[in-house]
Amino acid sequence: MQSSKVVAVLAVFGLQQCVFGEGNDSNTTSMACDFDLPPPFPGYFWDETCTDGALGCLADGKNTFCRFCGAGNYSEIPCPPSSCQFPNEPLVPYYWDMDVDLVTWAAGPMASTSNAGSVGSEIPCPPSSCQFPNEPLVPYYWDMDCTLGDLGCWADGIHIQCRFCGEAPSTSLSCPAVVGGSIAAGGSSNLNECTFPNEPHTPYFWDPSCTNGQLGCFADGIHEECRFCAHRPFETVACPEGVGPDASQCFFTEGFEPKIEYFWDESCEMGKLGCWADGIHAKCRFCGSGAYHEVECPTVAAEAAASYVSA
């Protein structure tokens, strides 16, 4: 009986700022506070930026990282959605709203909406209400008008209202002022540049004339204008000056130098054994061993000629 009273107190007093809306990120924060009895007021969460003496820290009297937030003396510390306390995780999305007061809460969760069939449907959600297993590079936001099948909607695979914007294939959608995504958070200092999680071996450049479907375009999977060049199968796309390897010698990315010998063969052409050795230059040719033992390396030929002359 005592535990049910505690839950009731939490629901009425401790969590007046917990608002039902169109989404939440309640699973992104791990709560490890250790209260003998959960406090009825204010909210609290686990904050690893806490230091001894910082406002709200050491909330449970045991852990420095346990922090009060969201109300009273701690109103300047924003609460994450995980500060909401439910006996069972609700199906309706929610988040922590600093602007809700006890008067609003007393009117009930339906007070802020005229649609009795959809609690919180008129309450806008922040981008953090989208739930991604890994933060995407592409910007996104919460769009109340999204419907299944609309461009960019259902971005996180969970919420129809979670919507990509600003980058391919959603370049036609303008982003609002506040968005989520690694690029929005400073993942790239210039949106007009290719963005790869890992640097590719194939040369690339920014081509404003690119459209999705053209050879080499959409190279980074984010920007239509990002284009591969020179390296097969993009050998027909010329790299601009300063991009890509020297056009007159074999090129292999550092760490990927082949064990088989190679040389520059002006007689090379498509279909000849060993040609296109580096995948970039048709005249770069493997020789001397393995499948290419029939192709004589220049050093071997020079040595044989010198031996013949001296004989």
Side-chain angles (χ1 to χ4, degrees), residues 113-154:
T113 176
S114 59
N115 184 356
S118 179
V119 178
S121 62
E122 295 183 2
I123 302 172
C125 283
S128 60
S129 298
C130 296
Q131 296 177 30
F132 294 94
N134 297 296
E135 187 72 1
L137 290 171
V138 178
Y140 61 88
Y141 67 107
W142 194 269
D143 186 352
M144 304 277 282
D145 297 324
C146 251
T147 58
L148 191 59
D150 287 351
L151 180 64
C153 296
W154 211 2

Coordinates of all heavy atoms in Angstrom, one line a residue, residues 113-154:
T113 N -5.4 19.9 -25.2 CA -5.8 19.5 -26.5 C -7.3 19.4 -26.7 O -8.0 19.1 -25.7 CB -5.3 18.1 -26.9 OG1 -5.8 17.7 -28.2 CG2 -5.7 17.0 -25.9
S114 N -7.8 19.8 -27.9 CA -9.3 19.8 -28.1 C -9.7 18.4 -28.6 O -10.9 18.2 -28.8 CB -9.6 20.9 -29.1 OG -8.9 20.6 -30.3
N115 N -8.8 17.6 -28.9 CA -9.1 16.3 -29.5 C -9.1 15.2 -28.4 O -8.0 14.7 -28.0 CB -8.2 15.9 -30.6 CG -8.5 14.6 -31.3 OD1 -9.5 13.9 -30.9 ND2 -7.8 14.2 -32.3
A116 N -10.2 14.8 -27.9 CA -10.2 13.9 -26.7 C -9.8 12.5 -27.2 O -9.5 11.7 -26.3 CB -11.6 13.8 -26.2
G117 N -9.6 12.2 -28.4 CA -9.2 10.9 -28.9 C -7.7 10.8 -29.1 O -7.2 9.7 -29.4
S118 N -7.0 11.9 -29.0 CA -5.6 11.9 -29.2 C -4.8 12.8 -28.3 O -4.6 13.9 -28.5 CB -5.3 12.3 -30.7 OG -3.9 12.3 -31.0
V119 N -4.5 12.2 -27.1 CA -3.8 12.9 -26.1 C -2.5 13.5 -26.6 O -1.7 12.8 -27.1 CB -3.6 12.0 -24.8 CG1 -2.8 12.8 -23.8 CG2 -4.9 11.5 -24.3
G120 N -2.4 14.8 -26.4 CA -1.1 15.5 -26.8 C -0.9 15.7 -28.2 O 0.2 16.1 -28.6
S121 N -1.9 15.5 -29.1 CA -1.7 15.6 -30.5 C -1.4 17.0 -31.0 O -1.0 17.2 -32.1 CB -2.9 15.0 -31.2 OG -4.1 15.8 -30.9
E122 N -1.7 18.0 -30.1 CA -1.4 19.4 -30.5 C -0.2 19.9 -29.9 O 0.1 21.1 -30.0 CB -2.6 20.3 -30.2 CG -3.9 20.0 -30.9 CD -5.0 20.9 -30.6 OE1 -4.8 21.8 -29.8 OE2 -6.1 20.7 -31.2
I123 N 0.5 19.1 -29.2 CA 1.8 19.5 -28.5 C 3.0 19.2 -29.4 O 3.2 18.0 -29.7 CB 1.9 18.8 -27.1 CG1 0.7 19.1 -26.3 CG2 3.2 19.3 -26.5 CD1 0.7 18.3 -25.0
P124 N 3.7 20.2 -29.9 CA 4.8 19.9 -30.8 C 6.0 19.2 -30.0 O 6.2 19.5 -28.9 CB 5.3 21.3 -31.3 CG 4.8 22.2 -30.2 CD 3.5 21.6 -29.7
C125 N 6.6 18.3 -30.7 CA 7.7 17.6 -30.1 C 9.0 18.0 -30.6 O 9.1 18.4 -31.8 CB 7.6 16.1 -30.4 SG 6.4 15.2 -29.4
P126 N 10.1 18.0 -29.8 CA 11.4 18.4 -30.3 C 12.0 17.3 -31.2 O 11.5 16.1 -31.2 CB 12.2 18.5 -29.0 CG 11.6 17.6 -28.1 CD 10.1 17.7 -28.4
P127 N 13.1 17.5 -31.9 CA 13.7 16.5 -32.8 C 14.2 15.3 -32.0 O 14.2 14.2 -32.5 CB 14.9 17.2 -33.4 CG 14.6 18.6 -33.4 CD 13.8 18.9 -32.2
S128 N 14.5 15.5 -30.7 CA 15.0 14.4 -29.8 C 13.9 13.3 -29.6 O 14.2 12.2 -29.1 CB 15.4 14.9 -28.5 OG 14.4 15.6 -27.8
S129 N 12.6 13.6 -30.0 CA 11.6 12.6 -29.9 C 11.7 11.5 -30.9 O 11.2 10.4 -30.7 CB 10.2 13.3 -30.1 OG 10.0 14.3 -29.1
C130 N 12.5 11.8 -32.0 CA 12.8 10.7 -32.9 C 13.8 9.7 -32.2 O 14.6 10.1 -31.3 CB 13.5 11.2 -34.2 SG 12.5 12.3 -35.2
Q131 N 13.7 8.5 -32.5 CA 14.5 7.5 -31.8 C 15.3 6.7 -32.8 O 14.8 5.8 -33.5 CB 13.6 6.5 -31.0 CG 12.9 7.2 -29.9 CD 12.0 6.3 -29.1 OE1 12.2 5.1 -29.0 NE2 10.9 6.8 -28.6
F132 N 16.6 7.0 -32.9 CA 17.5 6.3 -33.8 C 18.5 5.4 -33.0 O 19.0 5.9 -32.0 CB 18.3 7.3 -34.7 CG 17.5 8.1 -35.6 CD1 17.1 9.3 -35.3 CD2 17.3 7.6 -36.9 CE1 16.3 10.1 -36.2 CE2 16.5 8.4 -37.8 CZ 16.1 9.6 -37.5
P133 N 18.8 4.2 -33.5 CA 19.8 3.4 -32.8 C 21.2 4.1 -32.8 O 22.0 4.0 -31.9 CB 19.8 2.0 -33.5 CG 19.1 2.3 -34.8 CD 18.2 3.4 -34.6
N134 N 21.4 4.8 -34.0 CA 22.6 5.5 -34.2 C 22.3 6.9 -34.8 O 21.5 6.9 -35.7 CB 23.6 4.8 -35.1 CG 24.1 3.5 -34.5 OD1 24.7 3.5 -33.4 ND2 23.7 2.4 -35.1
E135 N 22.8 8.0 -34.3 CA 22.5 9.3 -34.7 C 22.8 9.4 -36.2 O 24.0 9.2 -36.6 CB 23.2 10.4 -34.0 CG 22.8 11.8 -34.3 CD 21.4 12.2 -33.7 OE1 20.8 11.3 -33.1 OE2 21.0 13.3 -34.0
P136 N 21.8 9.8 -37.1 CA 22.1 9.9 -38.5 C 22.9 11.1 -38.8 O 22.9 12.1 -38.1 CB 20.7 9.9 -39.2 CG 19.9 10.5 -38.1 CD 20.4 10.0 -36.8
L137 N 23.6 11.1 -40.0 CA 24.3 12.3 -40.4 C 23.3 13.3 -41.0 O 23.4 14.5 -40.9 CB 25.3 12.0 -41.5 CG 26.5 11.2 -41.1 CD1 27.3 10.7 -42.3 CD2 27.4 12.1 -40.2
V138 N 22.2 12.8 -41.6 CA 21.2 13.7 -42.3 C 20.4 14.4 -41.2 O 19.9 13.8 -40.3 CB 20.3 12.8 -43.2 CG1 19.2 13.7 -43.9 CG2 21.1 12.1 -44.2
P139 N 20.1 15.7 -41.4 CA 19.2 16.5 -40.5 C 17.8 15.9 -40.4 O 17.3 15.3 -41.4 CB 19.2 17.9 -41.0 CG 20.4 18.0 -41.9 CD 20.6 16.6 -42.5
Y140 N 17.2 16.0 -39.3 CA 15.8 15.5 -39.2 C 15.1 16.4 -38.1 O 15.6 17.1 -37.4 CB 15.7 14.1 -38.7 CG 16.4 13.8 -37.4 CD1 15.7 13.9 -36.2 CD2 17.7 13.4 -37.3 CE1 16.2 13.7 -35.0 CE2 18.3 13.2 -36.1 CZ 17.6 13.3 -34.9 OH 18.2 13.1 -33.7
Y141 N 13.7 16.3 -38.2 CA 12.9 17.1 -37.2 C 11.6 16.3 -37.1 O 11.3 15.3 -37.7 CB 12.7 18.5 -37.7 CG 11.8 18.6 -39.0 CD1 10.5 19.1 -38.9 CD2 12.3 18.3 -40.2 CE1 9.7 19.3 -40.0 CE2 11.6 18.4 -41.4 CZ 10.3 18.9 -41.3 OH 9.5 19.0 -42.4
W142 N 10.7 16.9 -36.2 CA 9.4 16.3 -35.9 C 8.4 17.1 -36.7 O 8.2 18.2 -36.5 CB 9.1 16.3 -34.4 CG 8.0 15.4 -34.0 CD1 6.7 15.8 -33.9 CD2 8.0 14.0 -33.7 NE1 5.9 14.7 -33.6 CE2 6.7 13.6 -33.4 CE3 9.1 13.1 -33.6 CZ2 6.4 12.3 -33.0 CZ3 8.8 11.8 -33.2 CH2 7.5 11.4 -32.9
D143 N 7.7 16.4 -37.6 CA 6.7 17.1 -38.5 C 5.3 16.5 -38.2 O 5.0 15.4 -38.5 CB 7.1 16.9 -39.9 CG 6.2 17.7 -40.9 OD1 5.2 18.3 -40.4 OD2 6.5 17.8 -42.1
M144 N 4.5 17.3 -37.6 CA 3.1 16.9 -37.2 C 2.3 16.5 -38.4 O 1.3 15.8 -38.3 CB 2.4 18.0 -36.4 CG 3.2 18.4 -35.1 SD 2.9 17.4 -33.7 CE 1.3 17.9 -33.2
D145 N 2.6 17.0 -39.6 CA 1.8 16.8 -40.8 C 2.3 15.6 -41.6 O 1.7 15.4 -42.7 CB 1.9 18.1 -41.7 CG 1.3 19.3 -41.0 OD1 0.3 19.2 -40.3 OD2 1.8 20.4 -41.2
C146 N 3.3 14.9 -41.2 CA 3.8 13.8 -41.9 C 2.7 12.7 -42.0 O 2.0 12.4 -41.1 CB 5.0 13.2 -41.2 SG 6.5 13.4 -42.1
T147 N 2.6 12.1 -43.2 CA 1.8 10.9 -43.4 C 2.6 9.8 -44.0 O 3.6 10.1 -44.7 CB 0.5 11.2 -44.2 OG1 1.0 11.7 -45.5 CG2 -0.4 12.2 -43.5
L148 N 2.3 8.6 -43.9 CA 3.0 7.4 -44.4 C 3.1 7.6 -45.9 O 2.1 7.8 -46.6 CB 2.3 6.1 -44.0 CG 3.1 4.8 -44.3 CD1 4.4 4.9 -43.6 CD2 2.3 3.6 -44.0
G149 N 4.3 7.5 -46.4 CA 4.6 7.7 -47.9 C 5.1 9.0 -48.3 O 5.7 9.2 -49.4
D150 N 5.0 10.0 -47.4 CA 5.5 11.4 -47.7 C 7.0 11.3 -47.7 O 7.6 10.6 -46.9 CB 5.0 12.4 -46.7 CG 3.5 12.8 -46.9 OD1 3.0 12.4 -47.9 OD2 3.0 13.5 -46.0
L151 N 7.7 12.1 -48.5 CA 9.1 12.2 -48.6 C 9.7 12.5 -47.2 O 9.4 13.5 -46.6 CB 9.6 13.2 -49.6 CG 11.1 13.4 -49.8 CD1 11.7 12.1 -50.4 CD2 11.4 14.5 -50.8
G152 N 10.7 11.7 -46.8 CA 11.4 11.9 -45.6 C 10.8 11.5 -44.3 O 11.4 11.4 -43.2
C153 N 9.5 11.2 -44.3 CA 8.7 10.8 -43.1 C 9.1 9.3 -42.7 O 9.6 8.5 -43.5 CB 7.2 10.9 -43.4 SG 6.6 12.5 -43.6
W154 N 8.9 9.0 -41.5 CA 9.2 7.7 -40.9 C 10.7 7.5 -40.9 O 11.2 6.4 -41.1 CB 8.5 6.6 -41.6 CG 8.1 5.4 -40.7 CD1 8.4 5.3 -39.4 CD2 7.5 4.2 -41.1 NE1 7.9 4.1 -38.9 CE2 7.4 3.4 -39.9 CE3 7.0 3.7 -42.3 CZ2 6.8 2.2 -39.9 CZ3 6.4 2.5 -42.3 CH2 6.3 1.7 -41.1

